[in-house]
Amino acid sequence: MRQFIVISHTATITPDFSLNDLPGSGGRMDILCRCVGASLLTSHALRNNVRVYLLLQNKISIRIESSETRYLHPDERCIAALIKKALEKIPEIVGQIELESTPGIYISKRDLKSLLNSVDPSGTFIHLDERGLSSQTFVFPPEPIFILSDHQNFSPSELDILNAYIQTTINLGPVSLHADQSIIIAHNLLDVQNI
């Protein structure tokens, strides 16, 4: 399975954002929507065996399973509407239990550390960063877990937590890329290596 963890520092954790203003009222919800699309979608299909975690403001975790997801279309507005439905479930969450909002989309109250602890430990945590090893010569493990940030860099406190989990850091090239672009390139590299 391929897994992607996208940490958002600004995306709203309330469902009252406008689907017509994802960057503004959504607090850059557009970035998360693009990451979900890049992670799960191919031309006219959903990828098999992909899991996406979205961490919003270090408080809310949304898990999306490609094998279970329904009603997911490639436009940001549709993806945002599914995230909005998930956020509507927040008042029903007790402790760290997960609630399913729509098929394949689960929401829970988790911070970064509890999210990382909930991820299957048999995978290999990979940080995508320009200062890492070259992805051109890197042999990917069979169960990669990619960790990415939104339009902001990881904070020092986030890096302190992440460093206990990250097993390797790779770069996708010499140019800094958007998170969704990085996901597409990571998928391509895995496809080429048949992983």
Side-chain angles (χ1 to χ4, degrees):
M1 173 171 284
R2 300 175 188 180
Q3 299 183 69
F4 297 90
I5 299 171
V6 183
I7 297 172
S8 174
H9 300 92
T10 61
T12 183
I13 56 173
T14 63
D16 58 359
F17 63 91
S18 169
L19 294 177
N20 296 321
D21 184 26
L22 299 178
S25 69
R28 296 311 314 259
M29 185 67 69
D30 58 314
I31 294 172
L32 293 182
C33 295
R34 285 196 296 272
C35 287
V36 170
S39 299
L40 301 179
L41 297 167
T42 62
S43 181
H44 307 294
L46 280 171
R47 284 186 176 272
N48 292 323
N49 290 327
V50 175
R51 178 177 296 140
V52 180
Y53 294 94
L54 307 175
L55 182 65
L56 286 66
Q57 296 186 28
N58 202 32
K59 295 177 182 173
I60 300 296
S61 172
I62 298 174
R63 177 172 58 92
I64 306 173
E65 299 285 342
S66 68
S67 61
E68 302 171 23
T69 302
R70 302 289 177 268
Y71 321 120
L72 183 76
H73 301 287
D75 59 290
E76 290 176 21
R77 187 183 169 95
C78 172
I79 296 168
L82 292 172
I83 292 173
K84 187 179 189 100
K85 284 186 181 187
L87 292 173
E88 290 170 356
K89 290 279 191 183
I90 291 175
E92 301 173 37
I93 299 172
V94 178
Q96 289 189 357
I97 65 160
E98 280 188 322
L99 293 179
E100 186 174 28
S101 59
T102 54
I105 301 180
Y106 303 85
I107 187 164
S108 60
K109 292 180 180 175
R110 289 196 169 110
D111 61 12
L112 178 58
K113 190 161 189 172
S114 60
L115 169 61
L116 294 171
N117 284 334
S118 73
V119 176
D120 182 357
S122 65
T124 303
F125 287 89
I126 300 171
H127 179 203
L128 297 177
D129 187 273
E130 302 92 51
R131 295 163 294 192
L133 303 169
S134 172
S135 60
Q136 302 304 311
T137 56
F138 184 73
V139 178
F140 286 89
E143 299 284 330
I145 305 166
F146 296 98
I147 302 172
L148 306 100
S149 184
D150 58 6
H151 61 296
Q152 296 182 7
N153 291 328
F154 290 120
S155 69
S157 61
E158 287 171 335
L159 285 172
D160 285 344
I161 294 169
L162 289 170
N163 285 334
Y165 294 85
I166 293 171
Q167 291 151 298
T168 190
T169 300
I170 64 168
N171 74 60
L172 299 174
V175 177
S176 184
L177 301 170
H178 292 282
D180 60 305
Q181 296 169 331
S182 298
I183 291 168
I184 291 169
I185 292 172
H187 268 312
N188 178 259
L189 291 168
L190 293 167
D191 291 342
V192 168
Q193 292 187 20
N194 200 26
I195 294 173

